[in-house]
Amino acid sequence: MAPVAKAAAQGYLARMLLILPMLGINAFTTASFEEQTDPVQPMGPDSEAFDTIVVPAHEDGFKDVFLDQNCWYAIRLNQKHIPKLKYVAAYRVAPIAAVTHIAEVESVEPYKDTGKYKINFKGPAKKIPPINRSDGSEVNMQSPRYALRERLLAAKNLDEIWL
């Protein structure tokens, strides 16, 4: 399968997995918070060292939720990692394809009855210099990933954050 076709299929699947619970179809959601394994991809060899979650965001959700509501929701997290989360950063998908904003976490709470969480920000997200996905990058931003804020802010591209 061509890389472009594979990425398109993964994007479609990610959108469907977000939409299905909103329609009441919970066949692909976890039954309880306690039983969850962590679906968020590790950041590399030091996968337990993180303070930030980078979430992929489509333009509508980014503007309406991340910027206007100062939160992000319907995120699968392992409950044991919640105390480590201090920041949330937005990776805006194509055509932007870059991390462009970061916000400080105020609280994390269960999101409805979905087995997912809502992250509330302390204030508005701050714009940062774009951290782009470089040509030939091995980093796939179809799902959230853990990172260190310091490493993220120093990075010139996504590979410098996770590889």
Side-chain angles (χ1 to χ4, degrees), residues 37-95:
T37 58
D38 202 344
V40 181
Q41 295 182 16
M43 61 168 270
D46 213 10
S47 63
E48 289 299 313
F50 62 86
D51 59 4
T52 303
I53 188 165
V54 182
V55 296
H58 296 274
E59 273 312 290
D60 291 345
F62 172 74
K63 290 177 184 168
D64 295 344
V65 179
F66 205 90
L67 294 182
D68 292 345
Q69 296 178 31
N70 297 324
C71 68
W72 195 249
Y73 50 84
I75 304 172
R76 291 181 197 259
L77 297 171
N78 186 313
Q79 196 173 24
K80 73 177 184 175
H81 291 317
I82 292 173
K84 296 180 184 181
L85 293 179
K86 306 297 180 218
Y87 303 93
V88 58
Y91 171 82
R92 295 164 66 189
V93 299

Side-chain angles (χ1 to χ4, degrees), residues 41-45 52-57 89-101 128-163:
Q41 295 182 16
M43 61 168 270
T52 303
I53 188 165
V54 182
V55 296
Y91 171 82
R92 295 164 66 189
V93 299
I96 294 169
V99 176
T100 61
H101 289 72
I128 60 173
I131 305 167
N132 297 302
R133 186 172 191 271
S134 59
D135 292 335
S137 174
E138 294 181 23
V139 175
N140 178 351
M141 282 304 304
Q142 296 295 324
S143 60
R145 294 177 74 113
Y146 294 126
L148 283 168
R149 178 181 175 267
E150 180 179 308
R151 193 168 177 173
L152 183 139
L153 294 176
K156 303 279 188 271
N157 60 56
L158 297 182
D159 288 349
E160 291 181 13
I161 301 170
W162 290 293
L163 299 180

